[in-house]
Amino acid sequence: MNVVMISPGYPVEMAYFTQGLAAAGATVIGVGDQAPTAVPQPAREALAHYMQVHSLADGDAVAAAVRAIARHVHLDLVECLWEPYMLLAARLREELGLPGLTIRQTMPFRDKELMKAVLDEAGLRTPGHHSSDTVAGVWAAAERLGYPLIVKPIAGAGSADTYRADSPADLDAILPMVRHVPQVIVEEFIDGEEFTYDTVCAGGQVLFENICWYRPRPLLTKLHEWMSPVIVSLRDLDAPDLQPGRALGAATLKALGFRDGFTHMEWYRKADGEVVFGEIGARPPGGRMVDAMNYATDADLFAGWAEAITRGRMSQPVQRHYNAGIIFKRAEGAGRITGYSGLDRLMAEFGEYVAAIDLLPVGAPRRDWRAR
Ligand SMILES: Nc1ncnc2c1ncn2[C@@H]1O[C@H](COP(=O)(O)OP(=O)(O)O)[C@@H](O)[C@H]1O
Ligand SMILES: [Mg+2]
């Protein structure tokens, strides 16, 4: 099989999906805007060919490059697991007559209003919502929905430009901060715990399921720098209090007609047990969550995804012996990392349970904690 992988080396986990494709027996052709030498080693080794474009945002240029490839080799699949270029991949599939998500099928995974409209139609519980591209429209939506509410971009990511308003005064203060966002969605605020529902599917069948638990809610970790966000990939998916979320997840995939590949959905569980849809992407989660799932299941989902999309099955065993958590420790202060403290004590106490440690080297600039 000849597979075009868009952005095969960025973000960093793409390199492992690229490697998975080659391991599944595919001939992988990478198209990306990284210089060939900047493509991480696991991807570089896996690529039969790499075509650098000046920018993936230039859809016409990418389409021309892929058409040029298609004149030389028969292409079977175009894959993209990075959110900003999902629609580009859909366009290329349509132009080349390849299977997989079309533009129309991709839109509900990108547009937070559209995705909820599809689910509402299917009778699934979404937060009350209304999208708008004018200030007057936001006020009208707030009037209809009541407070507290959430204002966020219709196609956002990483909780960027996402705000909670408890009153008209709050909303008044928020509006200038979202003025640069072309279209916002105003939503009923759902108070509760936050979980994911992630799958690998083939032929419309769920081959692999996962639930992660965000601690605390991403909106909170976005507000408070001192928090160390924790994501736990849960061992026991049969726990009774997870079943409503799992059922919502399966029903969501059905409503959207999803067939092949990775999905990443978020859902809320209220104190009274009611579960509410959050959002969904037709791609794996970022933030090292696929690593957490791999540790939790003793599986290799990079390879598992690749086998699913190229052969329609996932043959490796998935075992559920562990909860696997990731703790994102944030640096204190600004500038460069000067040192670490407390790790020795942690390792002395919990070392036997620590599967991996990934710290920025001393001297590196600290990460922008608001960026994720
Ligand atoms: N309707 C809502 N009710 C409560 N919290 C919300 C709502 N919408 C968003 N949030 C909070 O904001 C975070 C980011 O919103 P989300 O829709 O997941 O967008 P993103 O694509 O940025 O992850 C969520 O994880 C949640 O904590
Ligand atoms: Mg989210």
Side-chain angles (χ1 to χ4, degrees):
M1 255 194 166
N2 296 318
V3 181
V4 167
M5 180 71 163
I6 306 286
S7 198
Y10 186 87
V12 57
E13 49 263 75
M14 294 308 138
Y16 301 106
F17 286 110
T18 303
Q19 193 176 43
L21 282 171
T27 299
V28 194
I29 301 154
V31 177
D33 51 17
Q34 291 179 294
T37 49
V39 175
Q41 191 66 14
R44 226 182 310 162
E45 284 171 5
L47 291 173
H49 182 64
Y50 179 70
M51 185 172 269
Q52 185 187 356
V53 292
H54 72 274
S55 165
L56 285 173
D58 184 349
D60 291 339
V62 178
V66 173
R67 272 196 305 272
I69 297 168
R71 276 195 288 275
H72 297 290
V73 284
H74 170 81
L75 297 178
D76 296 287
L77 291 175
V78 171
E79 288 301 319
C80 178
L81 300 180
W82 189 24
E83 187 73 15
Y85 300 113
M86 305 292 301
L87 279 169
L88 171 63
R91 167 187 170 175
L92 298 174
R93 281 182 210 114
E94 287 192 8
E95 287 183 9
L96 298 167
L98 300 180
L101 292 177
T102 61
I103 291 174
R104 202 176 54 78
Q105 290 166 332
T106 306
M107 283 304 291
F109 289 94
R110 288 287 296 144
D111 177 316
K112 290 180 186 189
E113 179 71 22
L114 204 53
M115 76 176 63
K116 290 187 191 74
V118 175
L119 301 201
D120 291 343
E121 185 74 18
L124 303 175
R125 171 71 161 103
T126 63
H129 56 94
H130 195 78
S131 72
S132 177
D133 51 10
T134 65
V135 168
V138 172
W139 282 112
E143 187 88 354
R144 273 196 14 210
L145 295 167
Y147 296 87
L149 50 77
I150 285 276
V151 180
K152 62 186 179 183
I154 200 140
S159 304
D161 301 310
T162 298
Y163 299 97
R164 171 182 172 160
D166 288 338
S167 63
D170 282 357
L171 186 58
D172 205 35
I174 288 165
L175 283 170
M177 296 189 277
V178 294
R179 193 173 293 145
H180 65 284
V181 178
Q183 194 164 27
V184 298
I185 180 164
V186 184
E187 285 186 9
E188 162 197 4
F189 181 83
I190 305 294
D191 200 4
E193 295 192 272
E194 246 176 274
F195 298 89
T196 72
Y197 176 73
D198 314 291
T199 73
V200 175
C201 294
Q205 298 298 312
V206 176
L207 304 183
F208 171 85
E209 284 178 299
N210 172 79
I211 294 178
C212 283
W213 182 19
Y214 292 140
R215 307 183 68 196
R217 308 188 68 168
L219 191 61
L220 285 177
T221 63
K222 202 68 178 186
L223 288 175
H224 304 289
E225 185 179 6
W226 63 267
M227 287 180 172
S228 299
V230 174
I231 298 177
V232 187
S233 176
L234 296 172
R235 177 181 62 82
D236 183 10
L237 299 193
D238 293 323
D241 61 355
L242 296 178
Q243 298 322 300
R246 210 172 158 189
L248 176 64
T252 297
L253 294 179
K254 260 211 179 72
L256 289 164
F258 187 80
R259 293 185 59 80
D260 302 283
F262 231 114
T263 62
H264 169 53
M265 177 181 125
E266 294 171 341
W267 54 282
Y268 312 126
R269 187 173 69 202
K270 292 169 42 175
D272 66 5
E274 188 188 18
V275 295
V276 183
F277 173 81
E279 62 163 340
I280 187 165
R283 52 158 179 91
R288 308 299 294 268
M289 281 164 68
V290 177
D291 293 85
M293 292 182 210
N294 284 344
Y295 284 119
T297 58
D298 282 329
D300 177 348
L301 292 165
F302 300 111
W305 162 82
E307 190 189 14
I309 63 154
T310 56
R311 295 168 192 265
R313 58 166 198 253
M314 218 179 104
S315 54
Q316 58 176 303
V318 170
Q319 301 171 59
R320 297 192 169 274
H321 297 309
Y322 321 103
N323 294 293
I326 315 177
I327 306 172
F328 298 87
K329 285 304 292 179
R330 286 171 173 166
E332 289 170 10
R336 294 182 181 275
I337 308 289
T338 54
Y340 289 94
S341 64
L343 186 60
D344 295 351
R345 192 169 46 77
L346 269 176
M347 289 305 286
E349 198 167 340
F350 302 108
E352 67 175 304
Y353 306 112
V354 175
I357 300 179
D358 183 7
L359 296 174
L360 286 176
V362 169
R366 73 163 294 181
R367 283 200 182 85
D368 175 5
W369 66 277
R370 287 180 195 275
R372 206 218 117 78

